[in-house]
Amino acid sequence: MNRKLTPYLLELIENQFRSYTDFQMGVIGCLFLIFQILIRYAVEADRNADEYRMDFSKVKPAIDAVINHYEQKISITTAAEKCCLSESHFMKIFKKITGKSFNEFLIEHRLNMASQMLKDTDDRLIDIANSSGFYNQSYFTRMFIRYYAMTPSEYRKLHQNTTAPTDAGPAE
């Protein structure tokens, strides 16, 4: 948009040196062109926002399923059916809306939930993996390392609250 507006803005600056009538007409002409460009981009932005809202509403059932049932098995087929879309159309719209494939989105959400459990609980790693939808601890660990660049155990040690109260009395 800058490249389209720049010539008109430069012409506005140049018109300040012309006679009042020339200047006035030049300013009005440039302003009309500038407003035309701005309106065109505003209409396109509105159209894009409407398209985004429409596409989001199509995949919202799948996003809700991930958020509310991440610990369960959720396939692309199931997610597409929830959205009343073919698998290929679902995957295309889902990637457009979230910037991720459905599986990437699901794994990322599961890992976020697992990381929260690692911080907040003392549950065993296998239990956290299962509770967050990973039924293979090896796969859970591989995905966790890929996403967080450390093992779940290392993450827990790094993020668990280390300011536990002590029973020691006041220092004398």
Side-chain angles (χ1 to χ4, degrees):
M1 184 163 86
N2 275 348
R3 285 181 292 202
K4 291 186 178 186
L5 288 177
T6 301
Y8 302 113
L9 293 172
L10 290 173
E11 190 173 335
L12 277 174
I13 292 167
E14 287 177 24
N15 279 333
Q16 69 181 330
F17 302 113
R18 295 188 182 154
S19 69
Y20 184 75
T21 306
D22 289 343
F23 173 75
Q24 189 176 22
M25 296 307 290
V27 167
I28 291 171
C30 284
L31 286 174
F32 277 125
L33 292 171
I34 289 169
F35 287 132
Q36 179 186 15
I37 291 168
L38 291 173
I39 288 169
R40 186 177 323 126
Y41 278 98
V43 167
E44 287 175 19
D46 286 346
R47 195 174 318 131
N48 290 342
D50 288 342
E51 184 179 318
Y52 177 85
R53 279 190 289 276
M54 189 168 52
D55 286 346
F56 179 79
S57 69
K58 289 178 183 176
V59 297
K60 187 176 183 319
I63 292 171
D64 290 343
V66 168
I67 291 169
N68 297 316
H69 306 288
Y70 62 89
E71 72 283 355
Q72 298 173 8
K73 183 176 177 359
I74 306 171
S75 66
I76 291 173
T77 302
T78 304
E81 287 171 359
K82 285 184 179 294
C83 299
C84 301
L85 298 169
S86 70
E87 286 183 38
S88 60
H89 192 60
F90 167 76
M91 290 187 301
K92 179 181 173 189
I93 293 175
F94 196 91
K95 177 98 176 192
K96 179 179 168 186
I97 292 298
T98 65
K100 299 176 172 108
S101 72
F102 177 75
N103 284 333
E104 289 170 333
F105 185 85
L106 177 61
I107 289 169
E108 184 176 308
H109 185 71
R110 286 176 171 170
L111 289 171
N112 286 334
M113 300 312 293
S115 70
Q116 197 60 47
M117 288 184 243
L118 288 167
K119 290 180 198 175
D120 296 342
T121 72
D122 290 326
D123 294 351
R124 298 179 317 154
L125 294 181
I126 186 72
D127 295 333
I128 289 174
N130 288 334
S131 296
S132 56
F134 293 97
Y135 297 104
N136 178 318
Q137 188 174 359
S138 171
Y139 180 68
F140 167 66
T141 301
R142 268 196 327 272
M143 292 298 103
F144 201 93
I145 291 169
R146 184 180 295 166
Y147 191 77
Y148 290 102
M150 64 181 75
T151 67
S153 297
E154 292 167 337
Y155 184 90
R156 174 177 266 166
K157 286 177 190 168
L158 185 65
H159 290 91
Q160 269 194 330
N161 188 353
T162 57
T163 59
T166 61
D167 291 333
E172 295 182 33

